Amino acid sequence: MLFIALKLIHLFSIVIWVGGMFFAHFFLRPAVQELEAPVRVKLMRDVLGRFFQVVLILVLLVLISGFGMIGEMHRMAAGAGAKFNMPLSWIVMSALGLIMVAVFGHIRFALYKRLNTAVEAKNWPAGGAALGSIRKWVAFNLALGLVIIAAIRFPLS
């Protein structure tokens, strides 16, 4: 039962995180392109700030639930007198997931800080440049997230 609960938390957290990136990249960003720079940059700073607060929680939930599921599999195998060998698809998902967490950390704690500083200084070109960097890293993280989802559906082992 614990494994099922952990898997549900893991899945919901990833769906919200990856879905939020997809929405921001393909729908929100293009829709605000027509706005004047001060309005666009402030709006994106505010929206991304709210999203990143939630993603911080989601990242913790993904890590805790992911490590928890691996631990549960070890526990169940040991209880049955067997050895647990982690499937290759889990190894790939874990490695890519840790890369996603690191990329998110860079986006949140370096690039978003630049964006916020630019908005506070009313430096719209610097804010636009920060948003451009955020967009590129979000696109990279989104691609990783979609690869992970594909690895779940079509495991390598």
Side-chain angles (χ1 to χ4, degrees), residues 1-11 64-77 84 87 90 93:
M1 187 66 172
L2 177 59
F3 185 85
I4 293 169
L6 290 169
K7 191 170 185 176
L8 195 58
I9 290 167
H10 199 77
L11 181 62
I64 291 166
S65 61
F67 289 125
M69 284 188 290
I70 292 168
E72 270 298 290
M73 290 303 291
H74 278 286
R75 186 189 65 74
M76 288 187 285
F84 173 68
W90 286 27
M93 286 185 280

Side-chain angles (χ1 to χ4, degrees), residues 10-11 14 17-18 21 62 89-101 140-155:
H10 199 77
L11 181 62
I14 290 168
W17 183 8
V18 173
M21 288 189 294
V62 165
S89 60
W90 286 27
I91 294 168
V92 170
M93 286 185 280
S94 298
L96 293 179
L98 290 173
I99 293 169
M100 283 185 72
V101 169
F140 177 75
N141 241 13
L142 175 59
L144 286 178
L146 294 174
V147 167
I148 292 169
I149 291 168
I152 293 167
R153 180 62 182 100
F154 304 105

Side-chain angles (χ1 to χ4, degrees), residues 35-72:
L35 299 175
E36 295 293 321
V39 175
R40 181 183 72 249
V41 174
K42 278 194 235 178
L43 174 66
M44 289 301 292
R45 188 262 325 248
D46 293 346
V47 169
L48 290 173
R50 286 178 176 87
F51 180 60
F52 293 159
Q53 286 176 338
V54 171
V55 173
L56 279 172
I57 295 165
L58 295 173
V59 162
L60 290 174
L61 290 172
V62 165
L63 291 172
I64 291 166
S65 61
F67 289 125
M69 284 188 290
I70 292 168
E72 270 298 290

